[in-house]
Amino acid sequence: MAIAELTLYQQAILLLAGLIALTSFLMLGQSRLVRLVSIFALQGCLLAAATALAATVLDYPHLYVSAALSFLLKGAVIPILLQRLIHRMGLHRVMDTIDHPARVMMAGSALVVFSYYVSLPVVRHSTLVTLNAIAVSLAVVLLGMLLMITRRQAVAHVVGFMSIENGLFFAAVVATYGMPMVVELGVAFDVLVAAVVFGVFFFQIRSSIDSLNVDQLSKLSEADQ
Amino acid sequence: MSLFFAYLSVVAALMSALVALATNWRARLQRLAEAILRRWPHAHSVAARIFSETHYREFHRYSLFVLLGFSGLGALLAGLGTLMNGAVLTQILPFGLPWLSWHIRIDPLAGFFLCVLGLPLMAVSLYGPGYVREFEHGKHPLSALGLFTGLFVAGMELVLLADDAFLFMIAWELMSVASYFLVAYQHDHAANRRAAFLYLLMAEIGAIAIILAYGVLAGFGGGLTFDALRGASLNPLWASIAFVLGLIGFGMKAGLVPIHAWLPEAHPVAPSHISALMSGVMLKIAVYGFIRFTFDLLNQILWQWGVLVLVIGAASAVLGILYALQQQNLKRLLAYSSVENIGIVFVALGLSLIFLSSGQAHLGTLGLVAALLHALNHALFKSLLFLGAGAILHQTHEQSLENMGGLIHRMPKLAAVFLVGTLSIAALPPLNGFVSEWLIFQTALQGGLIESGVLRSLIPTASAVLALTSALAATCFVKVYGVAFLGLPRSHHIAHARDVQHRGMLGGPLLLAACCGLIGVLPTPLINGLGTLTHQLTGFVLPSVSALGWLWLTPVAPKVASYAPTLVLLGMAMVGGLCYYLLYRRTRLEPRRAEPWDCGFGGLTSAMQYTSGAFSMPIRRIFQPVFEIRESIEAQQAGPANIRIVALRYHFHVLDRAWLALYEPAGRLVLRLARGIGRLQTGNIRTYLGYSFFTLIFLLWVIS
Amino acid sequence: MAWLLAILETLLFVGAAPLLAGWIKRVKCRLQNRKAPSVFQPYRDLLKLYRKQPIAPHPASWIFRAAPYIVFASTVLAAAIVPLVAVDLPTSRIADIIVLVGFFALGRTFQVLAGMDIGTAFGGMGSSREMTISSLAEPAMLMAVFTLTMSAHTTNLSQAMNYVLDTGLVLRPSFVFALGGLILVAIAETGRIPVDNPATHLELTMIHEAMILEYSGRWLALIEWASQIKLMLYGVLIANIFFPWGIAQDFSLTTLGYGMAMIALKLAVLALVLALSEALFAKMRIFRVQEYLGFAYLLSVLGMLSHIILETAR
């Protein structure tokens, strides 16, 4: 259906889908780590809002719990953890230079078009109203991976990984009305544990090679240079 | 009737070529005239005056260009006649091969391009006599210039009239080779010879591609006439092969990136009126060839072709104008700008192909009309700009923008005409460049009707690239006009330049400027007149172009978009006039002249103003990955411990990336191949005997 | 009758532009805790300039003298085609939004030529920077326009406003992004902070001011007025395309009065937002402007993509 024929709540979900894609692009172009984590927190909050709206539209109360959980974890706990990590390592003044921002942005746009092309067969035969947004969720996953590829600082890699998980969660909300509660809780705690483990490993890496630049990890190889 | 005018124009061009040979035959012609006209004393005295020492040169020069003018007028009348009655006239001439005579055909498409040829040619014929006067006493013979100009024009006209592949290729080669001699006219500089050689090489490679394309079609069609080629039924693979060959061949002549390298080399080298003809007309002949091949001869259109043409056109447009912004040589800048405008024409053609392949005949026709209109507009304003650049060169012998400045005070009439050309090419309302760009945007905006979502996102991106191109074109030509004509003169001989004295040298550009203004203000009759053309090519006529009357241009529907350039001009004139009256006439405050603001230091010189390179420096920095920039500073030091700098030299070159990535490797490969094959020639007589020996053995074996 | 109404609306537009400039200055001053001049001060400034004798520098040609009239005429014509109080006026059919961009380009071209006419470094610098910024801003603006026209299926401004009015309150992602892109482009094109400081006279920071440095008297009055009209134009475009509720759809006196009140309210709110952003942000250095405009272009592209992906029926 064209957007003019949907109800206001359904339009709001599609609007939030667009804004989530915008946050993915903003993360691609952001070179300061503190702001990167803030935009990631914003993405988490938008995701929670979209889930809550979907709960209102589709009348599934368990999605409210989902929304609260994702707001707590992705909008509050993990960003606070990452910010504290950044400040402790003294990375809050470091600029992670992006090589060619224009090319990265153009690659991002191409990925969005590609994910739209790929998701066409899925959407064509569905009557679900919010399924239009599945292309956006696939795009968020791909943009998260692009973020991991184009960055040198390890903290940005973590944010990219988390944003991939955001995209998968959004796909679940949009396509299948959320995941079963057990799966939901399991994935959420996995992500939390991953964040803690990342934090521990960062200190380990930094004490080995004295920086968090992943290009320097090749110093660990013992072959003659 | 149209066919008669077309023949007249070809004959007039050939006669101009023949008359050119008579440059040095004054004495002979005088004796001949005396012998023939002895009986009629009145004619005898006229002839004596013409062939006298003092008048012959001028008469000869004028007759060359008067004949060219008749050629242009004939082409224009033939074209208008064909467009108005939409008839298709064919004829078979008794020249050519025994089994394949020359087929001639004039239809609305050829008629339109005859108009595109005729108008700049008439302007050049007005401009020419004043311009070539300085070549009379030069190192190179004027007869060569006149001969090859006539052959060049005749070749272009025959290309438009050809109805079989054989005559087409003969005329194409005549056009290419004659223009090679024109580009190589001032061959005493090695750089000019090199440019001419590159031009000839690329023209021939393009011709080979075109011959192969016709060959593919003829293989399936069984004959070389265009009617036989039209009836050829090809499977999509072979049609695509033929299309790609045609795109390469015609694109090489039209100047699409990356096969455009000959354009910026050949245009600055040729005499200015020839550059105007090459850039204004010859590139459009290549566009005509592409349209004829794709829209008329190939009877199927695939959407992939449209996407390919769209992408190549957009790349040519944006790269052409970016390189144009970095040039300091005025004619080289205009050549790169031609690359940009041809890119825009191909963007419109690509949109048209995409729409036609998905069955939207209405929008495909609109795209085709936009492309044709832009081709005509470019012919007009680019010829105007080249003729203006030629006038500056003629008066000041200066081609580099870095030395010009303040010419509006020394050459006011030329400056006014050049301003019209600048505003047209910058696509500003209410002139003609804006109308064709507006039509292309309207075509692109209807892209929502296509079903494929990927194409629906490609088309707005291409139109955003087009928007970037037109904004950069405005920047480029504002730079040209501002640096060349405004401000203070940057060199001595520019400060003492004199205005153009010859009336024709102003008249030619003035004619083109008038056409630019006329098409800009009244585009609707012209677009309506293209109805016969689009009916022939796509079977569709734009129905609602003037749904609200001749004042309004409504290409799709009145509710979708409308533009009334006449009312815009009227509105601006009214507001401007009212302001002028209220502010100037009522207050009677005359402006006072004073020094410009100099921060209190005084001593402003012309070296303190922005140069052409400085004006485009921000664009260069922003788009740096596009250019290959070689910058170096040489400092000559002297004195104790070499601390004193006595001389400083700054080198700055902007190289074409396509040249380094495509042409130099191709050149090296050809040289390597040639060296490898050259090993066959050892110079040893025994190996040559051995070659003959082994050939003899091989033939004996084959025969047995 | 409709033409008369159109002319009256244009006069109202042109006459109210200095009032908007005065209101913006007043809000900015109050935000900076200063005592503000009266909202009618721009009118007094224009009158003062009108009465002074203009001075033309020695190297200037007729282009310098004619440019203010051409700039003003093209801006007034642009004001005639943008619906201010009522849609469906006959002047809005003369040109559509692409021609509007063309009018701005025409005014800007002559202003730039006038800047280069003087032969000083200031003029060349202002002209070069202005053309660079506008060549990056134009694709962003046209892309935002395309996003709108893909929904409304028309480039005619009053038809587009009618479309948005007819479909009611619809939350379109593409409109949200196009609004963001258009606001960023509007700030760049009208020369406000963070792209250009309209109140500066330091050569390192001037763009617009550098081009018009030599103008005085009635020429300066025309150019100042034209830039005030341009600011109001962008404000009216943003207010009436994205939030057109309240605009008069017929020509009765009550609807026209209501339309005038609504547009005045919308422009006042927009002026507040502009003044706030000017107070909060600092001016960017010139080579950061390309990132800013690249971001505007990104927003417009995202708007177009979200229209195709999220909004159209399959």
Side-chain angles (χ1 to χ4, degrees):
Chain A
M1 286 197 274
I3 193 163
E5 302 155 14
L6 302 174
T7 69
L8 205 62
Y9 283 124
Q10 291 164 336
Q11 289 169 4
I13 293 180
L14 291 180
L15 178 63
L16 285 170
L19 289 174
I20 289 174
L22 177 66
T23 52
S24 272
F25 268 102
L26 288 178
M27 283 199 282
L28 268 184
Q30 192 54 248
S31 51
R32 288 189 192 273
L33 291 171
V34 173
R35 276 194 216 151
L36 186 65
V37 175
S38 313
I39 298 177
F40 171 70
L42 180 66
Q43 194 179 53
C45 297
L46 286 173
L47 203 55
T51 316
L53 265 175
T56 321
V57 168
L58 304 164
D59 203 22
Y60 283 156
H62 72 87
L63 277 183
Y64 282 118
V65 178
S66 225
L69 202 63
S70 68
F71 175 72
L72 207 60
L73 273 182
K74 299 196 195 107
V77 171
I78 292 181
I80 289 179
L81 267 179
L82 284 174
Q83 296 278 21
R84 280 205 343 195
L85 202 64
I86 290 174
H87 278 273
R88 258 211 282 176
M89 299 213 193
L91 292 173
H92 53 285
R93 294 218 176 87
V94 165
M95 294 252 312
D96 186 12
T97 48
I98 309 166
D99 286 336
H100 301 280
R103 285 182 219 179
V104 169
M105 289 298 181
M106 283 199 288
S109 314
L111 280 175
V112 172
V113 177
F114 175 70
S115 56
Y116 167 72
Y117 173 66
V118 159
S119 65
L120 268 178
V122 173
V123 185
R124 193 166 284 148
H125 303 292
S126 151
T127 51
L128 213 56
V129 144
T130 48
L131 205 56
N132 275 353
I134 206 168
V136 170
S137 56
L138 184 59
V140 169
V141 168
L142 291 176
L143 287 172
M145 278 200 226
L146 187 65
L147 182 66
M148 285 177 78
I149 295 173
T150 53
R151 294 308 192 91
R152 295 211 179 94
Q153 285 289 333
V155 179
H157 282 216
V158 176
V159 173
F161 173 76
M162 302 289 181
S163 130
I164 291 178
E165 205 274 329
N166 273 354
L168 289 172
F169 181 74
F170 189 54
V173 165
V174 148
T176 60
Y177 305 144
M179 305 182 265
M181 213 57 214
V182 171
V183 176
E184 177 85 38
L185 283 172
V187 171
F189 280 116
D190 268 342
V191 165
L192 189 58
V193 165
V196 172
V197 168
F198 270 123
V200 168
F201 263 110
F202 283 165
F203 282 107
Q204 190 62 7
I205 294 175
R206 211 189 42 165
S207 65
S208 293
I209 59 170
D210 207 20
S211 100
L212 272 181
N213 188 335
V214 300
D215 278 349
Q216 308 257 0
L217 278 174
S218 54
K219 272 203 246 179
L220 293 172
S221 78
E222 294 182 347
D224 287 317
Q225 297 291 333
Chain B
M1 196 61 185
S2 312
L3 211 51
F4 167 70
F5 279 121
Y7 287 147
L8 180 69
S9 62
V10 175
V11 165
L14 287 172
M15 270 174 57
S16 167
L18 281 177
V19 167
L21 287 174
T23 316
N24 296 317
W25 291 358
R26 190 196 65 81
R28 265 179 270 177
L29 282 174
Q30 193 170 34
R31 283 198 295 274
L32 193 65
E34 276 177 19
I36 293 179
L37 298 174
R38 204 169 306 174
R39 267 197 241 155
W40 300 281
H42 185 64
H44 187 258
S45 62
V46 168
R49 252 196 73 195
I50 291 176
F51 293 115
S52 68
E53 287 269 358
T54 42
H55 288 107
Y56 179 66
R57 283 198 185 284
E58 205 178 316
F59 172 71
H60 178 254
R61 215 172 59 226
Y62 272 92
S63 59
L64 274 181
F65 285 99
V66 161
L67 283 167
L68 278 182
F70 274 122
S71 179
L73 187 64
L76 184 65
L77 289 173
L80 283 176
T82 320
L83 275 178
M84 283 198 293
N85 59 26
V88 174
L89 302 167
T90 54
Q91 196 166 24
I92 300 182
L93 292 179
F95 306 115
L97 300 170
W99 63 92
L100 182 65
S101 314
W102 286 2
H103 292 70
I104 299 274
R105 172 191 165 112
I106 183 165
D107 59 3
L109 180 63
F112 178 76
F113 279 94
L114 278 172
C115 294
V116 170
L117 188 151
L119 281 169
L121 189 58
M122 289 202 305
V124 164
S125 67
L126 282 172
Y127 176 90
Y131 184 74
V132 303
R133 199 162 162 200
E134 61 171 356
F135 290 129
E136 278 176 358
H137 308 288
K139 285 179 267 192
H140 310 287
L142 191 62
S143 53
L145 186 65
L147 171 69
F148 289 114
T149 309
L151 287 177
F152 177 50
V153 172
M156 288 197 287
E157 287 168 353
L158 278 176
V159 167
L160 293 176
L161 294 173
D163 195 32
D164 67 279
F166 184 56
L167 176 59
F168 189 94
M169 288 319 299
I170 288 180
W172 189 269
E173 286 297 326
L174 181 64
M175 183 177 80
S176 304
V177 172
S179 50
Y180 162 73
F181 283 111
L182 290 171
V183 169
Y185 181 64
Q186 287 162 319
H187 54 78
D188 41 344
H189 299 292
N192 298 1
R193 287 198 298 271
R194 222 193 52 159
F197 177 69
L198 177 67
Y199 170 58
L200 185 66
L201 184 64
M202 294 190 69
E204 293 309 319
I205 296 177
I208 292 176
I210 299 176
I211 292 177
L212 284 175
Y214 279 132
V216 167
L217 274 185
F220 285 90
L224 279 178
T225 60
F226 279 3
D227 284 324
L229 295 181
R230 250 177 231 121
S233 57
L234 299 150
N235 57 354
L237 176 65
W238 278 108
S240 300
I241 290 177
F243 173 77
V244 167
L245 282 171
L247 181 65
I248 292 176
F250 292 114
M252 206 174 262
K253 184 63 105 182
L256 291 176
V257 163
I259 42 185
H260 66 287
W262 64 271
L263 254 175
E265 304 286 334
H267 277 79
V269 163
S272 307
H273 63 295
I274 301 299
S275 305
L277 279 180
M278 279 171 65
S279 195
V281 185
M282 192 178 69
L283 301 185
K284 311 304 174 300
I285 305 289
V287 171
Y288 159 80
F290 178 75
I291 295 180
R292 172 72 76 192
F293 191 74
T294 313
F295 284 81
D296 199 14
L297 295 181
L298 286 174
N299 44 25
Q300 54 182 297
I301 294 178
L302 302 173
W303 66 267
Q304 290 93 336
W305 299 352
V307 170
L308 182 66
V309 172
L310 183 66
V311 167
I312 289 181
S316 303
V318 96
L319 288 174
I321 196 62
L322 280 175
Y323 277 102
L325 270 165
Q326 306 307 324
Q327 304 302 321
Q328 262 58 277
N329 183 328
L330 180 56
K331 286 168 76 170
R332 212 176 146 95
L333 186 151
L334 291 175
Y336 269 115
S337 161
S338 293
V339 172
E340 176 229 342
N341 279 291
I342 292 292
I344 295 178
V345 171
F346 274 84
V347 163
L349 285 175
L351 284 173
S352 171
L353 285 172
I354 291 178
F355 282 123
L356 284 175
S357 69
S358 57
Q360 311 265 356
H362 183 179
L363 295 169
T365 312
L366 183 62
L368 182 63
V369 164
L372 291 172
L373 192 61
H374 195 81
L376 174 64
N377 290 341
H378 180 241
L380 292 174
F381 51 63
K382 192 43 72 67
S383 308
L384 169 59
L385 289 172
F386 263 111
L387 293 181
I392 297 177
L393 185 62
H394 184 252
Q395 299 294 122
T396 63
H397 300 287
E398 188 58 65
Q399 264 197 7
S400 169
L401 280 174
E402 300 280 7
N403 295 330
M404 295 187 200
L407 284 172
I408 196 172
H409 302 288
R410 308 295 311 180
M411 305 165 82
K413 289 180 255 188
L414 181 69
V417 177
F418 203 92
L419 183 66
V420 176
T422 308
L423 295 178
S424 301
I425 199 169
L428 296 175
L431 290 169
N432 60 349
F434 181 73
V435 177
S436 49
E437 293 233 1
W438 187 77
L439 281 175
I440 299 178
F441 279 129
Q442 290 297 334
T443 315
L445 279 172
Q446 303 301 316
L449 292 173
I450 293 185
E451 292 183 356
S452 159
V454 177
L455 275 184
R456 261 185 302 154
S457 50
L458 180 66
I459 290 179
T461 320
S463 42
V465 168
L466 194 63
L468 177 66
T469 304
S470 76
L472 286 174
T475 308
C476 180
F477 282 93
V478 159
K479 172 186 96 152
V480 167
Y481 196 82
V483 167
F485 287 94
L486 304 177
L488 297 167
R490 291 179 181 82
S491 68
H492 181 76
H493 53 281
I494 293 284
H496 297 280
R498 284 188 313 159
D499 200 355
V500 175
Q501 302 293 330
H502 190 255
R503 275 205 312 255
M505 272 181 83
L506 278 175
L510 195 62
L511 170 69
L512 292 171
C515 290
C516 284
L518 199 64
I519 294 180
V521 172
L522 290 173
T524 316
L526 179 63
I527 295 178
N528 275 333
L530 291 177
T532 52
L533 202 163
T534 57
H535 184 79
Q536 177 211 348
L537 282 181
T538 61
F540 196 83
V541 179
L542 288 178
S544 58
V545 167
S546 47
L548 296 174
W550 59 272
L551 270 182
W552 306 80
L553 180 62
T554 55
V556 183
K559 272 199 179 299
V560 172
S562 59
Y563 173 48
T566 329
L567 292 178
V568 164
L569 186 63
L570 203 64
M572 280 187 58
M574 264 170 43
V575 173
L578 195 65
C579 286
Y580 182 71
Y581 171 71
L582 285 176
L583 294 179
Y584 181 40
R585 296 283 168 202
R586 290 289 293 265
T587 59
R588 299 232 151 256
L589 279 172
E590 286 290 331
R592 181 168 64 93
R593 286 277 177 179
E595 288 296 319
W597 171 243
D598 52 11
C599 300
F601 288 112
L604 285 180
T605 64
S606 66
M608 293 180 188
Q609 49 181 352
Y610 258 49
T611 62
S612 127
F615 194 91
S616 47
M617 192 278 277
I619 301 277
R620 193 178 91 221
R621 256 185 83 157
I622 291 173
F623 290 99
Q624 204 183 345
V626 171
F627 308 111
E628 175 75 28
I629 296 183
R630 307 258 167 90
E631 222 177 338
S632 64
I633 298 181
E634 268 170 37
Q636 216 178 7
Q637 288 160 318
N642 274 351
I643 48 173
R644 200 162 51 96
I645 297 182
V646 290
L648 206 59
R649 196 172 270 170
Y650 174 70
H651 293 277
F652 178 75
H653 294 292
V654 176
L655 296 174
D656 203 335
R657 264 200 203 275
W659 182 260
L660 294 171
L662 190 65
Y663 294 87
E664 290 212 341
R668 282 196 292 266
L669 180 69
V670 167
L671 281 176
R672 245 197 358 237
L673 276 176
R675 267 196 292 271
I677 294 178
R679 273 192 274 243
L680 280 176
Q681 294 179 324
T682 54
N684 190 339
I685 195 167
R686 288 192 296 148
T687 35
Y688 295 148
L689 286 174
Y691 289 150
S692 328
F693 179 59
F694 282 114
T695 314
L696 183 62
I697 290 182
F698 178 70
L699 284 174
L700 284 173
W701 177 66
V702 165
I703 287 174
S704 69
Chain C
M1 161 62 187
W3 282 97
L4 186 65
L5 199 62
I7 292 179
L8 281 175
E9 191 200 62
T10 311
L11 286 174
L12 176 67
F13 204 124
V14 168
L19 185 62
L20 180 68
W23 168 247
I24 293 177
K25 193 152 178 70
R26 194 181 180 88
V27 173
K28 248 178 101 167
C29 285
R30 298 306 295 160
L31 279 174
Q32 292 169 352
N33 234 351
R34 289 190 275 143
K35 193 166 160 59
S38 136
V39 274
F40 298 109
Q41 185 59 30
Y43 292 105
R44 296 192 193 116
D45 287 336
L46 288 177
L47 208 58
K48 170 191 80 171
L49 284 170
Y50 167 67
R51 290 205 195 103
K52 288 191 170 224
Q53 181 189 33
I55 297 178
H58 286 305
S61 64
W62 62 268
I63 289 185
F64 185 82
R65 295 197 300 273
Y69 298 101
I70 299 178
V71 169
F72 188 69
S74 63
T75 320
V76 167
L77 208 58
I81 64 174
V82 174
L84 175 72
V85 177
V87 287
D88 291 332
L89 283 174
T91 44
S92 62
R93 279 204 314 249
I94 295 180
D96 63 354
I97 197 163
I98 301 177
V99 187
L100 183 70
V101 173
F103 284 148
F104 289 146
L106 180 64
R108 185 193 313 125
T109 300
F110 271 93
Q111 212 161 18
V112 166
L113 284 177
M116 298 191 77
D117 199 10
I118 313 157
T120 59
F122 284 121
M125 184 184 74
S127 306
S128 159
R129 290 176 171 185
E130 172 77 19
M131 290 310 288
T132 308
I133 291 179
S134 71
S135 52
L136 295 175
E138 241 187 67
M141 178 159 180
L142 275 167
M143 201 62 162
V145 164
F146 287 171
T147 312
L148 295 170
T149 53
M150 282 169 85
S151 299
H153 303 295
T154 170
T155 50
N156 189 327
L157 279 165
S158 47
Q159 293 296 328
M161 290 179 197
N162 270 331
Y163 174 81
V164 178
L165 278 172
D166 289 337
T167 52
L169 178 65
V170 180
L171 282 176
R172 286 174 230 266
S174 65
F175 271 34
V176 170
F177 287 129
L179 176 65
L182 201 57
I183 288 180
L184 293 179
V185 166
I187 291 179
E189 289 270 6
T190 51
R192 314 293 302 186
I193 292 176
V195 174
D196 179 17
N197 192 342
T200 183
H201 287 279
L202 302 170
E203 60 263 21
L204 272 179
T205 56
M206 285 198 270
I207 301 177
H208 184 77
E209 293 296 315
M211 278 192 297
I212 62 171
L213 195 66
E214 297 291 333
Y215 275 116
S216 51
R218 55 174 179 267
W219 298 330
L220 185 59
L222 281 175
I223 291 185
E224 289 279 322
W225 202 352
S227 60
Q228 287 161 352
I229 299 176
K230 195 165 165 184
L231 182 61
M232 186 162 169
L233 263 169
Y234 274 105
V236 170
L237 269 176
I238 290 172
N240 274 345
I241 293 183
F242 293 100
F243 312 102
W245 302 284
I247 204 168
Q249 281 180 300
D250 55 49
F251 298 151
S252 72
L253 271 176
T254 42
T255 48
L256 284 176
Y258 184 62
M260 255 197 286
M262 284 306 288
I263 188 69
L265 183 66
K266 289 181 218 167
L267 283 177
V269 168
L270 274 177
L272 193 66
V273 170
L274 177 66
L276 259 175
S277 81
E278 291 213 328
L280 289 174
F281 292 108
K283 180 180 164 333
M284 293 186 291
R285 70 179 174 93
I286 187 96
F287 283 110
R288 292 271 320 267
V289 175
Q290 75 202 60
E291 295 169 18
Y292 171 86
L293 288 170
F295 180 59
Y297 182 71
L298 176 72
L299 281 179
S300 314
V301 167
L302 268 181
M304 187 261 299
L305 286 176
S306 57
H307 172 82
I308 294 174
I309 297 178
L310 294 173
E311 290 179 17
T312 48
R314 305 295 175 136

